[in-house]
Amino acid sequence: MNLTDKYLINPFMKEVNHKNFPTSNNVFKMIIGTTGLGKTYSTFNTFIPYLFDEKDLDLILFNYPLTEVYNKADALAVIRETKKHNVMIVTKDNIDDIDMYIEDGFKVLLPITNQWIIQNKWFTDKIIQQGIKVGWFVDEPHTWLGCSDKENYKDTIGSHNTTYDASLYKEVSKISAISPYVFGTTATPTTEHEHLIEPFGDMKFKIINTYPTTSEMISRAGWFGGEHHFNLNNENETLNVFNNFVDRHMEKNELFGKRVMMIQCGRSNSQIGYTVEDVLNLLKQNLSSSSNLIDNQIAVLTNDFKGYVNFKKTNFNNNSYQLIQEDVGEQQVIKDLNNPNHPSKFILFVEKGKCGLNVHCLKSFFSFRTTDKQMSSDFGYEPITNQAVQILGRMMRLWTGMSNKDFVKQWDYDLTDYVKSLNTVQKNTLLELNSFDICIPDNDMWKATVKEIRMKFNPSKVDASSWMNNI
């Protein structure tokens, strides 16, 4: 039995086929799993087709928090995997066609953003009024559905938010009251999801499966390599650590193949700076000093700009450069980052990238953020690690130096047989390509995050080396 069957598919089937499931309304069923286990793949290839075919649902919503989380190609698998191939995929642009499709005997999959749902609350009310047999999958519910009320916000999300009104929780609750087919998939359940804090509303949370062990994930995940903690409030130390980290990143690119560094920049109003513009200047200084400044090397994904930032030399005597922005669509940037032959080696972000960013060669991470989330005094100021774990989760995908599509086609999503085909030099190259290094502020949140990842999510580089030498 493979890990996806053991930890995702079998628990799901056991849950939906339990004799008490049809009456399990007002329960949000949580499916947890580490990056690389196959949560999204299983959702579109198994869970949703099964509910259409065997439970005769008419409409299934798939909600996602950020545009980079959703990939239309993934959703198309639902059409292929259903027995009758009678699924129509509807978007917000033709949402009025849902009634027509259902009346004509079609099943409807509606992939939609969380924001659209909470801005169009009439839609959930309409579903309830029409009595449509509906299901709902919320992707990454730790983001918009991690907390049921602002009173719990501090102890679930880690900060105070007096305007938070739990809009998505309330909309999903409406559907959960009439349908047991309400699910969420995440690697990082919140304290409410884990019953450490009870929700304020009627809808409760239930985790229906468990994580695999780190040893079980060794052939299906990126490996935890080096970590370095630094004092972000010490400018000299920060700049020195950053430049050294960039140098090592570039050196590994030259020696072993493409690796991408993910850099978390400060917000525009950050008191200590390190905004996107600041970090671009730091990269310009570092890369130009070693003649590594080439076009399309630095990608930026923020709410304000998506594309590449290049530097055109304007004065050959004093190394003056003009910053040039090239607008490129988000999906194209992600495609380029995944391309082993594309020059992109850095991606800068502020809020994006916390979940669902599917780039297999992300293997270096540096944070310029002062974030140090913690619970209230009621819980002993325990660190809140969800978002930090999600960010490092972007590093946890397999990377062998070839495109993921080509690798999966030849080897499936597992390194075991691939490693058996390698010689000693090739194994060493894989060890470097598939291990990720992090450079993070020295605070309680990041310390707890690293401990959690090492214990619960990721095998180490040392473990991987031993495993490769013994299979």
Side-chain angles (χ1 to χ4, degrees):
M1 181 188 302
N2 65 42
L3 291 184
T4 302
D5 287 339
K6 180 178 179 181
Y7 288 98
L8 296 179
I9 294 175
N10 289 354
F12 176 83
M13 295 302 176
K14 181 180 179 181
E15 179 71 18
V16 298
N17 290 309
H18 192 278
K19 66 179 182 178
N20 294 329
F21 183 83
T23 59
S24 62
N25 292 2
N26 293 313
V27 179
F28 187 84
K29 288 83 175 177
M30 301 282 297
I31 304 165
I32 60 173
T34 53
T35 301
L37 187 59
K39 298 185 298 296
T40 301
Y41 182 89
S42 297
T43 298
F44 289 121
N45 284 266
T46 301
F47 302 158
I48 292 177
Y50 184 82
L51 296 184
F52 277 140
D53 287 337
E54 303 302 329
K55 304 302 178 180
D56 199 31
L57 299 191
D58 295 316
L59 169 67
I60 296 179
L61 286 70
F62 178 83
N63 272 73
Y64 49 96
L66 300 169
T67 53
E68 67 261 32
V69 173
Y70 173 67
N71 187 331
K72 183 178 179 180
D74 292 334
L76 290 173
V78 174
I79 300 174
R80 182 186 67 240
E81 296 300 328
T82 49
K83 293 177 180 177
K84 295 182 180 179
H85 311 297
N86 63 337
V87 176
M88 302 297 293
I89 298 179
V90 171
T91 69
K92 64 180 181 180
D93 297 323
N94 64 329
I95 202 164
D96 291 335
D97 292 340
I98 289 177
D99 292 343
M100 175 187 67
Y101 289 138
I102 292 176
E103 289 174 5
D104 289 343
F106 289 96
K107 307 295 186 180
V108 177
L109 173 64
L110 175 63
I112 205 81
T113 63
N114 295 338
Q115 185 174 16
W116 189 92
I117 281 291
I118 64 175
Q119 290 178 343
N120 295 273
K121 297 177 182 179
W122 62 265
F123 182 71
T124 50
D125 293 335
K126 179 182 177 182
I127 292 172
I128 295 169
Q129 292 167 3
Q130 292 182 326
I132 294 173
K133 197 171 182 182
V134 62
W136 199 331
F137 282 83
V138 180
D139 198 30
E140 312 290 5
H142 62 275
T143 55
W144 292 52
L145 193 55
C147 180
S148 61
D149 189 273
K150 64 182 179 182
E151 294 298 321
N152 281 352
Y153 202 86
K154 170 63 178 176
D155 291 321
T156 54
I157 309 303
S159 58
H160 292 287
N161 187 336
T162 56
T163 63
Y164 179 75
D165 63 358
S167 295
L168 187 60
Y169 175 88
K170 292 174 182 176
E171 293 308 300
V172 177
S173 293
K174 294 178 186 178
I175 299 301
S176 76
I178 65 163
S179 171
Y181 298 100
V182 178
F183 303 90
T185 55
T186 182
T188 54
T190 68
T191 49
E192 279 200 15
H193 298 158
E194 295 183 299
H195 292 283
L196 299 176
I197 302 173
E198 285 303 308
F200 271 75
D202 293 332
M203 186 176 73
K204 309 304 180 184
F205 298 102
K206 176 186 177 182
I207 296 176
I208 68 172
N209 65 329
T210 59
Y211 293 109
T213 65
T214 57
S215 60
E216 286 178 304
M217 286 296 295
I218 201 162
S219 65
R220 293 174 62 100
W223 305 314
F224 200 121
E227 63 178 284
H228 184 87
H229 301 257
F230 64 96
N231 181 1
L232 185 56
N233 292 312
N234 184 320
E235 182 178 1
N236 289 334
E237 179 183 346
T238 298
L239 296 181
N240 183 57
V241 168
F242 178 70
N243 284 322
N244 288 338
F245 197 64
V246 170
D247 289 344
R248 291 196 299 273
H249 171 72
M250 295 300 292
E251 182 180 9
K252 287 191 176 185
N253 266 272
E254 294 194 14
L255 291 174
F256 304 108
K258 181 173 178 176
R259 291 164 53 108
V260 174
M261 180 188 292
M262 192 174 182
I263 304 176
Q264 186 181 28
C265 304
R267 294 190 180 97
S268 58
N269 62 351
S270 171
Q271 292 184 351
I272 63 172
Y274 304 116
T275 63
V276 170
E277 292 74 19
D278 295 334
V279 175
L280 284 170
N281 282 323
L282 293 178
L283 286 173
K284 179 192 69 176
Q285 295 168 18
N286 180 290
L287 298 175
S288 62
S289 66
S290 55
S291 301
N292 280 318
L293 202 56
I294 61 176
D295 285 349
N296 296 335
Q297 187 171 213
I298 304 171
V300 177
L301 286 181
T302 67
N303 290 329
D304 297 326
F305 173 73
K306 299 173 182 65
Y308 296 101
V309 174
N310 298 314
F311 301 95
K312 181 179 179 181
K313 202 162 191 177
T314 58
N315 189 317
F316 288 90
N317 294 322
N318 61 6
N319 283 335
S320 296
Y321 293 87
Q322 177 185 1
L323 185 150
I324 300 175
Q325 293 184 334
E326 178 188 357
D327 290 306
V328 178
E330 186 172 279
Q331 291 303 318
Q332 184 60 49
V333 170
I334 292 173
K335 183 178 180 181
D336 292 342
L337 290 167
N338 274 304
N339 182 350
N341 300 312
H342 191 273
S344 50
K345 295 182 180 68
F346 299 89
I347 175 170
L348 277 59
F349 77 103
V350 180
E351 298 298 336
K352 285 179 175 286
K354 290 182 178 179
C355 59
L357 183 63
N358 190 354
V359 176
H360 287 258
C361 49
L362 290 174
K363 295 302 171 190
S364 300
F365 173 73
F366 193 99
S367 178
F368 282 107
R369 292 287 285 274
T370 57
T371 308
D372 188 10
K373 291 183 177 291
Q374 61 182 17
M375 300 175 76
S376 68
S377 58
D378 293 340
F379 294 87
Y381 302 107
E382 281 290 314
I384 295 177
T385 61
N386 301 72
Q387 289 189 3
V389 170
Q390 280 288 337
I391 292 172
L392 295 190
R394 305 313 100 217
M395 314 286 121
M396 297 178 189
R397 300 189 184 277
L398 291 185
W399 180 239
T400 63
M402 71 173 78
S403 74
N404 181 61
K405 182 179 179 180
D406 291 341
F407 179 81
V408 170
K409 184 177 180 180
Q410 185 173 356
W411 302 100
D412 203 358
Y413 197 83
D414 192 287
L415 289 170
T416 305
D417 290 336
Y418 176 70
V419 168
K420 291 178 181 178
S421 73
L422 304 180
N423 59 36
T424 301
V425 173
Q426 291 168 329
K427 287 181 181 179
N428 184 59
T429 297
L430 175 63
L431 191 64
E432 297 299 331
L433 286 174
N434 196 46
S435 297
F436 61 91
D437 304 310
I438 64 173
C439 208
I440 49 182
D442 187 9
N443 63 36
D444 290 339
M445 182 193 74
W446 278 115
K447 289 175 182 176
T449 297
V450 169
K451 182 178 179 180
E452 184 175 354
I453 286 177
R454 288 193 178 277
M455 291 180 62
K456 186 163 43 174
F457 291 100
N458 269 85
S460 70
K461 186 177 181 180
V462 174
D463 294 334
S465 178
S466 176
W467 172 72
M468 283 198 290
N469 291 330
N470 287 285
I471 63 171

